[in-house]
Amino acid sequence: MADTPHPASRTRPLSPHWTIYRWPVTMVTSIVHRATGLALAAGTILLCWWLVAVANGPEAFNQFMGLLTTPLGEVVMFGFVWSLAYHLLNGIRHLAWDIGFGFAVPTANKSGIVVIAASLVVAVGAFALAYTGRGGYYQ
Amino acid sequence: MSLETPLHKVRGMGSAHSGVSHFWRQRVTAAALIPLSIWFGVSLLGLVGAHEAATLTFLSQPINAILTAAFVIILLYHMALGLQVVIDDYIHNDGQKLVLMLLMRGLTIAAGATSIFALLRIAGPL
């Protein structure tokens, strides 16, 4: 008896053990919701910076826009727009769950796929509109 | 069956001593951000390629200035609530947690104050 290790002293995998389990859709959407939330928090610095740049006059504005229109700047902007689209759409999914809709597993899996697809459509669509000159209607 | 009285259950409002207020604030700000962020996204698309003058004109119109201010304030509130949960989840040292919470809230307030000041300057003398 004394030689048997206590069951609790053995290292057991803790749930959710993401390196072992298959990733269910709901787990992916949950992790991505938090990740896009963090990305948007970083993106808020850009929003704040943009407002300051507009307030500081043409020179500061052009400098800011110059950074935003570099290849890296455009990748960051795409990340920001997609994060906003995803967090918004998945947020609506969360609010629906909170009032009792769509929480059954098959429904939640389907709505997860819809949110991922729709967020990509919105982000790619917005950039397609911008690149084909259909943006910029406030000039 | 619990032997606790309803009064005992509600007193102290749970382990965080704030009851469900965080949950509610996160949901209410989320709901408010649905129309505001759609408006902001559509506005940003409209400002693609705009020069400083056009952007200034857009932001200095009262309705756009008010909506931008509301968007920034509610967004920052929602952000602080969310980051609080992330810090609670991953930081288990009380000292580090306190420092991070204060830093996060300080930066949130700084971002809000800076944005509102910028918006007031954009709107110009009223």
Side-chain angles (χ1 to χ4, degrees), chain B residues 31-111:
Chain B
L33 284 169
I34 296 173
L36 284 171
S37 49
I38 292 172
W39 168 81
F40 184 73
V42 171
S43 302
L44 268 196
L45 187 60
L47 287 168
V48 167
H51 292 293
E52 199 260 356
T55 312
L56 196 81
T57 307
F58 177 83
L59 283 173
S60 54
Q61 272 161 12
I63 184 68
N64 297 329
I66 290 165
L67 286 173
T68 306
F71 178 60
V72 169
I73 292 168
I74 300 172
L75 167 96
L76 287 171
Y77 198 167
H78 186 79
M79 182 192 85
L81 291 168
L83 290 178
Q84 182 189 336
V85 177
V86 175
I87 294 170
D88 273 331
D89 279 357
Y90 302 131
I91 311 296
H92 303 302
N93 173 298
D94 279 350
Q96 284 175 7
K97 184 181 283 193
L98 180 68
V99 170
L100 264 179
M101 285 287 189
L102 291 174
L103 196 67
M104 181 272 285
R105 289 185 183 172
L107 287 174
T108 303
I109 290 168

Side-chain angles (χ1 to χ4, degrees), chain A residues 34 38 41 44 47-48 50-52 54-58 61 84 87-88 92 95 98 126 129-130 135-139, chain B residues 27 34 37 40 42 45-46 48-52 54-56 58 75-76 79 83 85 89-90 111 114-115 118 121-122:
Chain A
R34 177 161 286 191
L38 288 172
T44 304
L47 171 63
C48 194
W50 175 63
L51 292 173
V52 171
V54 177
N56 279 349
F61 180 83
L84 185 62
H87 204 84
L88 172 66
I92 294 170
L95 289 174
D98 289 338
L129 288 176
Y137 30 80
Y138 290 136
Q139 326 196 17
Chain B
R27 268 73 190 169
I34 296 173
S37 49
F40 184 73
V42 171
L45 187 60
V48 167
H51 292 293
E52 199 260 356
T55 312
L56 196 81
F58 177 83
L75 167 96
L76 287 171
M79 182 192 85
L83 290 178
V85 177
D89 279 357
Y90 302 131
T114 308
S115 301
R121 287 220 296 156
I122 290 165

Side-chain angles (χ1 to χ4, degrees), chain A residues 32-120:
Chain A
V32 175
H33 195 72
R34 177 161 286 191
T36 51
L38 288 172
L40 288 170
T44 304
I45 298 167
L46 277 183
L47 171 63
C48 194
W49 188 0
W50 175 63
L51 292 173
V52 171
V54 177
N56 279 349
E59 207 177 307
F61 180 83
N62 290 337
Q63 205 177 2
F64 176 75
M65 279 303 166
L67 284 174
L68 224 57
T69 47
T70 58
L72 179 66
E74 300 214 337
V75 169
V76 169
M77 270 313 282
F78 183 81
F80 177 76
V81 169
W82 174 73
S83 295
L84 185 62
Y86 179 88
H87 204 84
L88 172 66
L89 292 167
N90 201 47
I92 294 170
R93 180 165 165 253
H94 269 278
L95 289 174
W97 288 343
D98 289 338
I99 52 174
F101 289 105
F103 209 56
V105 175
T107 319
N109 284 340
K110 271 179 221 150
S111 63
I113 300 281
V114 168
V115 160
I116 294 168
S119 68
L120 286 168

